[in-house]
Amino acid sequence: MPGSLPDAPDRNSSNTDPAWQTGPVQKWRILSTTGVVVAIAACAATVVAFAAGQPRDKHDAKPTPSPTSSSSSGDTHAAMPYVVAPSTTRPASRPRTTPTSTHRAPAATPTDPATKAAPPPAPTSKAPPAPRGQSLPLGYSTGNATRVITVVASSRGSTTATLQAWNKAAGGGWLRYGSGITAHLGSAGLTPTPSEDVSATPMGSFTLTQAFGALANPGTGLPYFKTDSADWWVSDRNSTYYNTHYRCSASSCPFDTGAGENLLGAGSVYNYAVVIDANRFPKPVSPNGSAFFFHVTNGKATAGCVAIPQSTLVTLMKWLTPSAHPRMLIGVA
């Protein structure tokens, strides 16, 4: 037939037709071989594509199940493998995880409702400056006293003066304690050189270290004794007990009682009294004055003492304490 391939030669025949080696036969052989090669290449490509489509691990997408065909009559045929075409999209890479520290912050401790947090400290305020006082009206020394009483007369001949108590201020100077009152002085006024011969009140700065009275101690911190008929203050200028307190009966005293003073017998002016230490320390000097007291007034001039109303005297006696080293300053200003 025209266009058909020639019959294959008989292999047992010794005659070889040249047309089998060349011409149409030769072309058919080339085409057959090429087809086989193409088929093999197609199979290889299919296998590679199938392998590439498989998931690498459990996180990759699951393979698409192979479809199966069934006939409407219920006959089941063998499932043909479904070849997945190679994907041109690379599988999404999993995000890299940054290693984190294994150290964890300690868990917060629950607060016990019964336990309250300490309140914040109160803001500290600057302490106010220490109060400052004023200068005393008299320029005499106050020593180590922190409480003083000033007795200021207008002149040396005055028989009255203004008495004022003072507390030493922490910032310096002095602060008034109470109000000033009128005090009665010696009938001869004031003198810088007291004597047994003159009824004048001594001028200067004197300590206050002893108290006494016909009545019980009103509450003073100073040493105090309650008087009776045996209590005397010696004013005998010839006695070794000059200007001191001495106890004895009138008939047995070792000094001239007529020149002295019986503390109980003086009456109500000595209900309460504080000794003014003029001419007492270190040793009394005769006849430079004796028995100078700060006592209750009778409204008249004294023999050389300082006298004020009893109620005010009691108030000041309670205020006087040995730790304050109290003093009395007497002078003119």
Side-chain angles (χ1 to χ4, degrees), residues 104-133:
R104 295 184 178 179
T109 304
T111 303
D112 185 355
T115 304
K116 294 184 178 179
T124 57
S125 58
K126 188 177 181 180
R132 290 188 59 83

Side-chain angles (χ1 to χ4, degrees), residues 297-318:
T297 186
N298 59 5
K300 301 177 181 179
T302 68
C305 298
V306 177
I308 62 172
Q310 179 170 303
S311 60
T312 305
L313 178 61
V314 169
T315 298
L316 292 178
M317 288 179 71
K318 292 178 179 179

